[in-house]
């Protein structure tokens, strides 16, 4: 059987244990076309960005949409309509990244990530220390989830004055709506946090 002294003879590279490459995926599609009287443009996109923590507790998903329509509705009158929408979903551990990074920097290299033979329990280095991996693990310390939605709509009418070359009158109206929600889940299981 291994004694406690054997546990502390380990060498933990906290940077290698905790940090990974953050994957990113982005996709877009654009459609445009029209006639001599009407033109349109439609764009939709998706972005996924993972976080750097090896616990996979940080990610971002973004959906965006944009549409523009221009139409000559009368000889000298043009209508333009634009619609844009963005939805962001952010997931991250309850602890801020700077706090996790600070604990990672301060954690002694002879402390293991988890206690040997007890994979459900994060190791700690004594009173006042917190295992940074536990802080980055949403199952151990909790998480934050933020959803933000933005909608923009704009209309414009442009009239080209026929008897004055280069003179036009333009009226513009816009509408913007923004909503966001933040959920914070705090998990307090000291035996799993330390």
């Amino acid at each position: 059987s291994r004694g406690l002294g054997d546990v502390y003879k380990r060498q933990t590279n906290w940077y290698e244990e905790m940090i990974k490459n953050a994957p990113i995926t982005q996709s877009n599609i654009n459609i445009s076309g029209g006639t001599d009287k009407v033109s349109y443009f439609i764009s939709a996109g998706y972005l996924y960005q993972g976080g750097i923590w090896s616990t996979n507790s940080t990610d971002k998903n973004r959906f965006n949409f944009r549409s523009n329509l221009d139409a000559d509705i009368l000889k000298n009158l043009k209508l333009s309509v634009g619609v844009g929408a963005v939805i962001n979903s952010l997931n991250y551990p309850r602890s801020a990244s700077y706090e996790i990074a600070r604990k990672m920097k301060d954690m002694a290299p002879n402390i293991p990530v988890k206690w040997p033979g007890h994979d459900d329990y994060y190791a700690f280095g004594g009173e006042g220390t917190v295992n940074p991996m536990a802080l980055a693990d949403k199952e151990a310390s909790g998480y934050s989830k933020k959803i933000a939605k933005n909608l923009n709509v704009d209309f414009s009418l442009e009239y080209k004055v026929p008897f004055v070359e280069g003179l036009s009158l333009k009226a513009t109206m816009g509408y913007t709506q923004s909503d966001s929600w933040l959920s914070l889940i705090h998990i307090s299981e000291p035996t799993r946090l330390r």
Side-chain angles (χ1 to χ4, degrees):
S1 112
R2 296 173 59 167
L4 193 56
D6 292 334
V7 171
Y8 289 113
K9 288 180 184 174
R10 298 175 166 245
Q11 289 296 311
T12 303
N13 183 327
W14 286 98
Y15 291 93
E16 285 182 9
E17 292 288 340
M18 293 197 63
I19 295 177
K20 64 176 181 121
N21 290 329
I24 187 167
T25 301
Q26 185 169 359
S27 302
N28 292 297
I29 185 168
N30 298 315
I31 301 170
S32 61
T35 65
D36 58 337
K37 300 251 185 221
V38 177
S39 64
Y40 62 89
F41 171 77
I42 299 170
S43 175
Y46 170 73
L47 169 82
Y48 169 79
Q49 183 172 3
I52 63 168
W53 304 127
S54 62
T55 56
N56 296 320
S57 58
T58 306
D59 64 39
K60 173 182 182 174
N61 289 282
R62 181 182 69 208
F63 301 92
N64 59 286
F65 173 80
R66 181 76 194 161
S67 174
N68 295 323
L69 175 68
D70 295 314
D72 293 328
I73 55 176
L74 295 174
K75 182 178 179 185
N76 293 319
L77 188 62
K78 179 180 179 180
L79 170 69
S80 296
V81 179
V83 177
V86 177
I87 300 172
N88 280 305
S89 174
L90 305 166
N91 298 298
Y92 42 94
R94 183 182 63 85
S95 299
S97 290
Y98 73 86
E99 182 181 356
I100 296 168
R102 186 177 68 229
K103 297 294 184 185
M104 181 178 61
K105 177 183 72 71
D106 293 342
M107 197 67 167
N110 64 331
I111 306 298
V113 174
K114 293 187 176 182
W115 294 118
H118 302 281
D119 290 340
D120 290 339
Y121 296 92
Y122 286 100
F124 69 104
E127 189 65 35
T129 63
V130 176
N131 187 314
M133 189 74 84
L135 292 179
D137 184 347
K138 64 184 178 184
E139 300 296 325
S141 66
Y143 64 91
S144 299
K145 180 177 182 112
K146 181 177 182 181
I147 297 175
K149 297 179 181 180
N150 295 299
L151 173 66
N152 297 300
V153 181
D154 54 80
F155 301 92
S156 69
L157 281 172
E158 183 176 12
Y159 178 68
K160 292 183 180 178
V161 179
F163 49 87
V164 181
E165 187 176 332
L167 178 64
S168 64
L169 303 172
K170 188 173 186 179
T172 303
M173 182 177 75
Y175 171 78
T176 299
Q177 179 180 345
S178 296
D179 297 309
S180 64
W181 299 268
L182 178 63
S183 300
L184 300 172
I185 305 300
H186 175 76
I187 299 172
S188 180
E189 294 183 33
T191 56
R192 290 198 65 198
L193 282 174
R194 297 178 185 231

